[in-house]
Amino acid sequence: MVKKIIVIGASSGIGKAIAEAELKNGSEVVLVARREKELKAIASKWNKKGQTKPAILVVADVTQFASAEKTVAKAIGELGGLDEVYYASGVMPAVASDEYNIAKDLQMLNVNTLGAVAYINPIATYFAKQGKGKIVGISSIAGERGRKGAPVYNTSKAALNTYLEALRNRLAEKNVQVTTIKPGFVKTEMTEGLDLPEKGLLKAITSEEAAEQILKIVAKGKDEAFVPGIWKLVALIIVNIPNFIFKKLSI
Ligand SMILES: NC(=O)c1ccc[n+]([C@@H]2O[C@H](COP(=O)([O-])OP(=O)(O)OC[C@H]3O[C@@H](n4cnc5c(N)ncnc54)[C@H](OP(=O)(O)O)[C@@H]3O)[C@@H](O)[C@H]2O)c1
């Protein structure tokens, strides 16, 4: 049976890699993001000339919360149903160590957290009624602790984690799976220019490697997982560092 999937944040990075991995598997995929040119480039790779399937474009800005429900309904209508949704939209603007910038903060909270809520809420309603479905949120290792370098990015991901956990608990009895993905370093547009490790246990992986791992995790029905798995150990250490030490660390 052909799986019907929505990927929000499908124009680049992890979302694009997930969408393409699913298209490769024979799924029909609605690609949601703002940059139409990037979405068209993906679609032209997977659709025969003049056809609009299996890669279907829906150009949308997730911060237009009022139109989220309509966009979701349009996507489900185009697919003729829905089996899985991946929320991968995210932003992480550079923030200096002494910078407190509400414009950047709002952008992160709006895209990373509230956009997820606006898009996933109607999908949760749809899946609860359907009695099945899979919701996957791409969060981050960054949501485990509030760090000096990224106060509101950390907050946006911690809030996303809590929202997804609550949905998981709410939807479990409706046979709906909710999976929280917490990546470590992934080489994408978001991390371009950052000095990511190229070697060692915590080396940055490609978005294709991340997508491959994410699809396996979702297929296994996991509640949450780090990508790659080694970040689980990092998280375990980080969450157990006492405040009086954590304050002094430059992480
Ligand atoms: N890269 C990493 O190391 C890493 C680590 C942990 C977690 N993550 C998380 O992984 C997710 C994907 O990030 P990425 O690394 O793949 O970065 P990316 O290549 O920059 O992708 C970000 C995606 O978010 C979409 N997006 C941004 N603002 C949007 C808006 N207003 N409306 C709709 N879509 C919007 C972008 O599409 P448009 O610009 O076309 O709208 C793009 O498709 C993010 O949530 C990020 O926080 C990344």
Side-chain angles (χ1 to χ4, degrees), residues 8-16 32-36 38-39 60-64 87-92 107 111-112 138-142 153 157 160 181-191 196 207:
I8 301 149
S11 57
S12 63
I14 300 171
K16 177 182 174 186
V32 183
R34 292 168 304 173
R35 287 171 295 170
E36 190 170 8
E38 276 73 2
L39 296 182
D61 182 334
V62 296
T63 66
Q64 300 297 311
Y87 189 90
S89 285
V91 289
M92 187 184 67
Q107 192 200 0
V111 177
N112 303 356
I138 311 300
S139 181
S140 173
I141 174 79
Y153 184 72
K157 293 300 188 179
L160 177 62
I181 300 292
K182 299 174 174 178
F185 298 136
V186 185
K187 289 182 255 179
T188 66
E189 287 180 18
M190 180 179 278
T191 52
L196 301 184
S207 47

Side-chain angles (χ1 to χ4, degrees), residues 121-138:
N121 275 350
I123 290 169
T125 309
Y126 180 87
F127 281 161
K129 219 178 270 170
Q130 177 169 266
K132 63 178 173 131
K134 294 183 183 183
I135 295 169
V136 184
I138 311 300

